[in-house]
Amino acid sequence: MKYGLRRRLMVLFTFASIVLSFVMLSFSLSYLVSANLISSSYESNRFVKKFKSNLLLVENDLENYIKLKSYENINHYFQSRAKFERLLLDLNRVPSEIEDLNCEAFVRKLSESFLSVSDSAVYANRAGIILEANDNYIKALKIYSLLCLETERLNQLYFEKNISSYEERRAAVREINIFGIFFLLFTVSIVILCVFLLLTNIIHPLVEISNRANQLAARNFDVPLFEYSVNDEIGNICRALNRMIISIREYIDTMWEKAIEESELREREMKMNELYQDAKLNALQAQINPHFLFNTLNTGAQLALLEGSDKTCDFLEKVADFYRYNLHYTGQETDLTDEIKMLESYIYIMKVRFGSRFDYYTDIQYSNLKIKIPGMILQPLVENCIKHGLADIRSGGRITLSVHEESSKNLVIVSISDNGVGMTSEIREKILKGIFKNPESVLESESRDSGNGVGLSNVISRLKLFYKRDDVFDILSPESGGTTFVIKIHQ
């Protein structure tokens, strides 16, 4: 993950480790430099001490050889002499105006004289010239005594010079230590500042996340979304919380919509029940003891059959079938086949009543007539065609029932049309919107007087409630005349 917290913390830890390691290394080097400066302050005195030790060793080996004359003693003499001679190379050989350098030159000259006389004594002793060896040995001792005094004087000069040098170097060491302490404090401050900035950068969004999470827990879902755009673990948490907040808001909106839909559905059901009760009441009011009337019609049909009045018998049977259907299916669910059969009985009754005033035609191009529809839906439409559309027509009237399918829209279209006077657009809009409530209007007054007591507004409302859609009914009335009632059944 780019710029992840782990990587940033590792970079910070590495940076701090490198800086602290550099500081520790600097302190170590500073300590070594300081120690070297302090230790080098008296290096010259240590040299003088070593010089005196080697000088004493040469003198002792010379004395032992002169007294004992053994091969081992002379070998020791030449070894100590070689070491001492190498030390002479570090001394100044040229006289100088500087006191300690001039003393060095003098000590070197005396040392060379001491070695020369000592060699003469050794060589004389090896040659058996005892008198000459003793004389050179005595001279060597005198030079040795003088050399010791000059060496001590050189050591004193070195010491006086090194005291002032030691104080200077000690002050330099103190300055180095002070600088190291300030550098350490500065470096630690930089590291602490970097750590503070990084932790602030991490903790600040975490505090925001905690605060908004508490607000969400308190059911406050109007919190603003996070604007943290860094591509790290905290950024992923912020984006996940943003998605969660959006999902919660969408869920709440969905629940509100469902609650509103359920409320509307309950209102529709209540309205449908109210319409159903009104339809039953209207049907009961429009019928005088329908059971008694139905039984009377059956008795009349049997009597007409006994008397040989076939037409009267058929008429009474059709009327009885119509009332039987009316009693059973008003406000109930039925299928299109039974509704069409009921409509044919009603048409037969109306044909007996109005004679040749109109003709009835069917155009059924759909085979599945078992689809469900509300009962007593088609008869009020046909009744409206007869009483209003064909009211002024004495002959040549035409009522057509059509059933066909629009497969592209997955619809079954049931239409009832007439070739009457038609309907104005104003009345059509009022009927479709359910605002045609004038009690003196022709349509409503005639509908209340109809045999089944069910008006157009009741039909439209029942269709909408039954199919739970608002686009199930339409009225077409072209300027050329005629009216078509269209029922759209969605499959």
Side-chain angles (χ1 to χ4, degrees):
M1 180 181 294
K2 187 178 180 181
Y3 307 127
L5 290 178
R6 181 181 299 176
R7 178 178 177 181
R8 290 157 65 185
L9 290 173
M10 287 301 299
V11 169
L12 178 63
F13 176 76
T14 304
F15 169 74
S17 300
I18 292 174
V19 170
L20 293 177
S21 299
F22 175 75
V23 171
M24 295 302 298
L25 180 63
S26 300
F27 260 86
S28 299
L29 292 176
S30 174
Y31 175 77
L32 291 176
V33 170
S34 301
N36 289 332
L37 286 175
I38 297 298
S39 63
S40 63
S41 298
Y42 295 95
E43 187 67 29
S44 57
N45 292 103
R46 284 193 291 272
F47 173 78
V48 171
K49 182 178 179 181
K50 184 177 181 181
F51 182 85
K52 289 172 65 177
S53 298
N54 279 271
L55 177 62
L56 179 60
L57 184 62
V58 172
E59 193 275 333
N60 289 333
D61 291 336
L62 175 63
E63 183 180 359
N64 290 332
Y65 175 70
I66 295 298
K67 292 179 179 180
L68 301 177
K69 298 180 182 181
S70 65
Y71 176 77
E72 183 178 0
N73 294 126
I74 194 172
N75 188 38
H76 287 167
Y77 168 76
F78 281 115
Q79 288 179 356
S80 59
R81 183 187 183 284
K83 292 180 181 179
F84 181 73
E85 195 171 20
R86 283 195 295 271
L87 291 176
L88 292 179
L89 297 177
D90 295 331
L91 294 176
N92 182 35
R93 63 186 303 172
V94 181
S96 173
E97 295 179 357
I98 301 174
E99 188 176 6
D100 56 338
L101 294 179
N102 189 56
C103 187
E104 282 185 14
F106 185 66
V107 169
R108 180 168 182 172
K109 190 170 184 64
L110 284 176
S111 298
E112 291 173 349
S113 298
F114 171 72
L115 291 177
S116 177
V117 173
S118 297
D119 290 342
S120 298
V122 169
Y123 293 146
N125 193 32
R126 291 182 67 184
I129 307 174
I130 302 303
L131 184 60
E132 183 180 351
N134 290 330
D135 289 339
N136 288 327
Y137 176 68
I138 293 172
K139 290 180 181 179
L141 290 178
K142 290 180 180 180
I143 296 173
Y144 171 74
S145 299
L146 182 59
L147 184 58
C148 288
L149 293 175
E150 289 298 325
T151 301
E152 189 63 31
R153 177 171 169 266
L154 178 62
N155 186 43
Q156 185 65 28
L157 291 173
Y158 279 157
F159 182 76
E160 292 175 357
K161 182 179 180 180
N162 288 335
I163 288 177
S164 60
S165 176
Y166 172 78
E167 293 298 330
E168 292 176 358
R169 292 177 180 180
R170 186 177 179 183
V173 169
R174 188 182 302 109
E175 291 178 358
I176 291 174
N177 291 333
I178 293 174
F179 173 78
I181 292 173
F182 279 107
F183 181 72
L184 175 63
L185 294 176
F186 173 76
T187 305
V188 172
S189 300
I190 293 297
V191 173
I192 292 175
L193 179 61
C194 292
V195 172
F196 174 78
L197 293 177
L198 178 60
L199 292 179
T200 301
N201 188 285
I202 295 174
I203 292 174
H204 179 70
L206 291 177
V207 172
E208 289 293 323
I209 291 173
S210 176
N211 292 336
R212 297 190 188 182
N214 289 331
Q215 294 181 33
L216 290 175
R219 298 185 178 181
N220 178 18
F221 302 112
D222 293 330
V223 295
L225 299 178
F226 293 97
E227 297 180 356
Y228 189 85
S229 59
V230 179
N231 188 21
D232 58 8
E233 292 84 352
I234 297 178
N236 291 337
I237 295 174
C238 292
R239 285 184 285 274
L241 284 176
N242 284 341
R243 290 193 293 271
M244 184 185 72
I245 293 172
I246 293 173
S247 298
I248 291 174
R249 291 175 180 174
E250 291 177 350
Y251 176 75
I252 292 175
D253 292 340
T254 302
M255 293 299 294
W256 273 110
E257 292 175 357
K258 287 184 177 179
I260 293 173
E261 290 178 358
E262 290 177 357
S263 177
E264 292 177 352
L265 182 59
R266 284 193 297 268
E267 290 179 0
R268 287 184 178 182
E269 289 178 352
M270 292 174 63
K271 188 174 181 180
M272 187 173 181
N273 291 330
E274 181 181 352
L275 290 172
Y276 171 62
Q277 296 298 330
D278 289 343
K280 287 177 65 177
L281 179 60
N282 291 335
L284 291 173
Q285 291 176 349
Q287 300 173 24
I288 302 174
N289 199 349
H291 290 283
F292 172 76
L293 179 60
F294 171 67
N295 293 330
T296 302
L297 289 174
N298 278 332
T299 303
Q302 294 175 5
L303 182 59
L305 181 62
L306 292 174
E307 293 178 351
S309 300
D310 294 337
K311 290 183 178 181
T312 303
C313 180
D314 290 339
F315 175 78
L316 293 176
E317 285 180 351
K318 294 294 184 182
V319 173
D321 291 341
F322 173 74
Y323 275 100
R324 182 190 299 111
Y325 186 88
N326 191 344
L327 289 172
H328 184 71
Y329 288 107
T330 299
Q332 301 295 321
E333 179 183 291
T334 184
D335 54 49
L336 188 56
T337 301
D338 293 337
E339 189 73 3
I340 292 175
K341 288 180 180 179
M342 180 278 301
L343 185 60
E344 290 175 349
S345 298
Y346 178 74
I347 291 292
Y348 180 86
I349 297 171
M350 292 297 102
K351 287 287 289 181
V352 171
R353 178 181 176 184
F354 293 103
S356 60
R357 183 175 171 182
F358 70 90
D359 292 319
Y360 172 69
Y361 300 92
T362 59
D363 180 19
I364 299 176
Q365 300 180 16
Y366 185 66
S367 58
N368 184 19
L369 298 180
K370 293 295 183 181
I371 55 178
K372 299 299 181 181
I373 62 172
M376 295 302 294
I377 287 295
L378 300 182
Q379 182 271 332
L381 304 180
V382 173
E383 183 178 7
N384 186 80
C385 291
I386 295 173
K387 291 190 174 184
H388 302 290
L390 305 177
D392 298 331
I393 296 178
R394 298 305 171 192
S395 64
R398 183 185 180 93
I399 296 176
T400 304
L401 169 67
S402 173
V403 181
H404 67 278
E405 180 183 16
E406 290 186 7
S407 57
S408 60
K409 298 181 180 179
N410 201 23
L411 290 176
V412 175
I413 305 298
V414 180
S415 63
I416 294 177
S417 59
D418 63 56
N419 60 343
V421 295
M423 183 183 298
T424 64
S425 60
E426 182 180 359
I427 294 176
R428 172 185 176 276
E429 291 297 325
K430 288 184 177 181
I431 292 174
L432 292 177
K433 292 180 179 179
I435 60 176
F436 201 93
K437 300 297 182 181
N438 185 1
E440 300 299 327
S441 67
V442 176
L443 292 179
E444 292 295 324
S445 61
E446 290 294 339
S447 294
R448 288 194 299 271
D449 294 337
S450 62
N452 66 339
V454 181
L456 279 179
S457 61
N458 187 278
V459 170
I460 296 172
S461 298
R462 289 171 61 210
L463 284 170
K464 290 181 179 179
L465 291 172
F466 184 81
Y467 292 110
K468 297 181 178 59
R469 301 178 66 98
D470 293 331
D471 57 346
V472 294
F473 188 81
D474 198 5
I475 301 175
L476 307 177
S477 185
E479 294 181 359
S480 58
T483 302
T484 301
F485 300 104
V486 181
I487 299 174
K488 303 175 183 178
I489 302 175
H490 294 259
Q491 293 182 304

